[in-house]
Amino acid sequence: MKSFSILVLPIILLLCCAPNETGQEPFVPRSADDVREDFQNLGLDAGINDITLESAVENVFWNFRVIIPEGIDNNSNVPLIMRLHGGARNSSADAHKSTNCLVGPAFENTDAIIISPNSNGELWYDQNNQVQVLALIDLATTYLPIDANKVVIMGYSDGGNGSFFFAQYYTSLFAAAIPMATSYNPVNSNGIVEKIDIPIYAIHGSNDQLFPIEVTQGYINQLVDAGTDITFSVAPGLDHYSVCDYLSYLNNAVDWLETTIW
């Protein structure tokens, strides 16, 4: 595991003051250039890379997985998949590593880079995770061979709700969203449902016992009525906890990306 001290991007504080009474120099966070240099020097290899980054500003750790496909180099121009794991306030230290039965296989025959962050026990739309996701997108699209016009946000359960959230409020960053097994209420703080300006491919099990399909269908209908381009794929017989069984439906979403979006 690679471990670095890193400032939360793009929020960076620079502190500089006189020595304290003990004669010791006060702590001064590194500059943004230091942070970017560290990211450039991660030495990511083809395959799975599990990274830990420590924030010098907020004293929090970001743990995330980066999956690099074989055969790409600095001259490549590939898609980025931001994958948000499930489990509301999931506090597992390994939650971001649950990529082996769904997102990993679905994209293994594409040239996409996958980044899977850990929510650190918070919801995906909590402030700390908004900062984390936005920062990782900024760093990845700046320093990895990624086509910034091919960034996709996706996730399952709470990760699906997070995918809807980022698609709704950070539309300009993404080409599309793939929320799975969700129950995301699209009504904003003004009490209205506004169009989401990127296409969405939503997947849901007909027997989802945590998020009943009738509720999710109602939210989807509200977004469609507002003008959002949504493909709603229902998985007959699948429930909320049969995560790996959704692979064929995610494969269809990947085909949709490759034939319609990219």
Side-chain angles (χ1 to χ4, degrees):
M1 177 180 291
K2 306 177 180 71
S3 181
F4 297 89
S5 176
I6 189 167
L7 299 176
V8 174
L9 295 177
I11 302 173
I12 297 174
L13 297 178
L14 299 179
L15 305 178
C16 185
C17 49
N20 59 30
E21 293 180 357
T22 67
Q24 296 177 328
E25 292 291 334
F27 172 72
V28 179
R30 295 172 301 133
S31 70
D33 288 341
D34 294 330
V35 174
R36 295 183 180 281
E37 183 178 359
D38 276 350
F39 191 88
Q40 286 180 283
N41 293 331
L42 284 177
L44 299 173
D45 301 316
I48 293 175
N49 302 265
D50 290 323
I51 309 295
T52 296
L53 301 175
E54 182 183 2
S55 166
V57 174
E58 297 186 0
N59 195 30
V60 298
F61 290 86
W62 295 345
N63 298 289
F64 60 96
R65 170 167 287 189
V66 183
I67 303 177
I68 305 288
E70 298 282 351
I72 70 168
D73 55 31
N74 290 335
N75 295 318
S76 301
N77 200 29
V78 303
L80 170 64
I81 309 302
M82 287 297 301
R83 178 265 186 176
L84 309 182
H85 66 73
R89 296 188 173 91
N90 189 336
S91 60
S92 170
D94 293 330
H96 60 291
K97 299 178 183 179
S98 56
T99 59
N100 294 333
C101 81
L102 198 57
V103 65
F107 287 93
E108 67 181 352
N109 294 321
T110 73
D111 55 2
I113 291 174
I114 299 169
I115 295 183
S116 174
N118 192 300
S119 68
N120 295 314
E122 300 186 56
L123 298 175
W124 285 111
Y125 42 74
D126 287 340
Q127 182 177 351
N128 288 335
N129 280 324
Q130 289 187 54
V131 172
Q132 177 183 196
V133 170
L134 298 179
L136 290 177
I137 292 172
D138 174 59
L139 288 167
T141 55
T142 301
Y143 296 110
L144 298 180
I146 287 168
D147 185 341
N149 294 314
K150 294 183 177 181
V151 179
V152 174
I153 187 81
M154 67 156 294
Y156 190 94
S157 191
D158 185 56
N161 292 339
S163 300
F164 261 123
F165 172 83
F166 281 97
Q168 183 173 12
Y169 293 103
Y170 297 99
T171 303
S172 63
L173 295 179
F174 304 105
I178 307 175
M180 305 177 66
T182 68
S183 185
Y184 180 77
N185 189 339
V187 178
N188 64 22
S189 59
N190 295 323
I192 61 175
V193 176
E194 296 179 342
K195 175 185 176 182
I196 296 178
D197 289 328
I198 61 172
I200 294 172
Y201 194 106
I203 301 170
H204 205 87
S206 65
N207 292 347
D208 192 313
Q209 62 272 62
L210 186 61
F211 299 143
I213 191 170
E214 295 81 8
V215 176
T216 298
Q217 181 73 71
Y219 293 148
I220 295 289
N221 291 345
Q222 287 180 289
L223 285 167
V224 170
D225 290 344
T228 305
D229 177 5
I230 299 184
T231 299
F232 189 44
S233 174
V234 176
L238 293 190
D239 63 28
H240 192 80
Y241 301 104
S242 303
V243 180
C244 300
D245 293 338
Y246 285 83
L247 177 57
S248 64
Y249 298 92
L250 183 54
N251 284 336
N252 292 337
V254 174
D255 290 341
W256 170 78
L257 286 174
E258 293 183 322
T259 59
T260 305
I261 307 302
W262 295 336

